[in-house]
Amino acid sequence: MSNVPSELKYVASHEWLRMEDDGTITIGITDHAQEALGDIVYVELPDVGDTVAVDDEVAVVESVKAASDVYAPITGEVVAINEALEDDPEVINTDPYGEGWMYRIKPDNADDFDSLLSAEEYQADL
């Protein structure tokens, strides 16, 4: 069974979200997603300053098995990216909820965060 931390929010397309103290939202792919992909070898991230809407393709994760699009789970502006993934993309496999985070968004509407899936709801869909 995949690791699904209860303090995070989720979307059915296997992204997780964490509200930060400054009101930004950190986003990455779930443990389930990285397990399904296998060994990750490359990550293409959005640019800081990009404006994204829900369901926009914002990143690409390539593994030894496949390339997979990562979709925006919330609307807002990209304010940070995890540049360490350029040199060490496989950290997503070893620490998807920590050092393997992908990008951070300043949401247009912070209330949208509350409407996302809880850990229990996400797990029920796996």
Side-chain angles (χ1 to χ4, degrees):
M1 179 57 73
S2 296
N3 176 19
V4 182
S6 61
E7 70 276 8
L8 303 177
K9 290 288 194 171
Y10 299 88
V11 291
S13 55
H14 307 294
E15 288 88 18
W16 60 263
L17 299 87
R18 179 178 56 237
M19 181 69 74
E20 303 296 343
D21 292 339
D22 65 0
T24 63
I25 296 173
T26 300
I27 300 166
I29 64 171
T30 64
D31 189 44
H32 175 80
Q34 71 78 22
E35 282 180 6
L37 284 167
D39 294 335
I40 295 172
V41 296
Y42 175 75
V43 178
E44 181 180 317
L45 297 171
D47 293 323
V48 172
D50 283 357
T51 300
V52 299
V54 172
D55 295 333
D56 282 356
E57 293 176 13
V58 295
V60 177
V61 177
E62 293 183 15
S63 72
V64 294
K65 292 182 182 178
S68 184
D69 293 324
V70 177
Y71 300 94
I74 199 160
T75 299
E77 178 186 350
V78 176
V79 295
I81 60 170
N82 187 351
E83 294 178 8
L85 296 180
E86 291 177 16
D87 295 326
D88 192 17
E90 63 272 9
V91 74
I92 293 172
N93 291 121
T94 58
D95 191 11
Y97 301 114
E99 294 300 313
W101 68 277
M102 297 180 73
Y103 61 100
R104 193 165 288 139
I105 282 185
K106 178 182 177 192
D108 285 355
N109 182 354
D111 291 339
D112 291 345
F113 180 81
D114 295 328
S115 67
L116 300 171
L117 299 175
S118 68
E120 295 77 22
E121 291 166 328
Y122 173 71
Q123 258 184 320
D125 286 344
L126 289 180

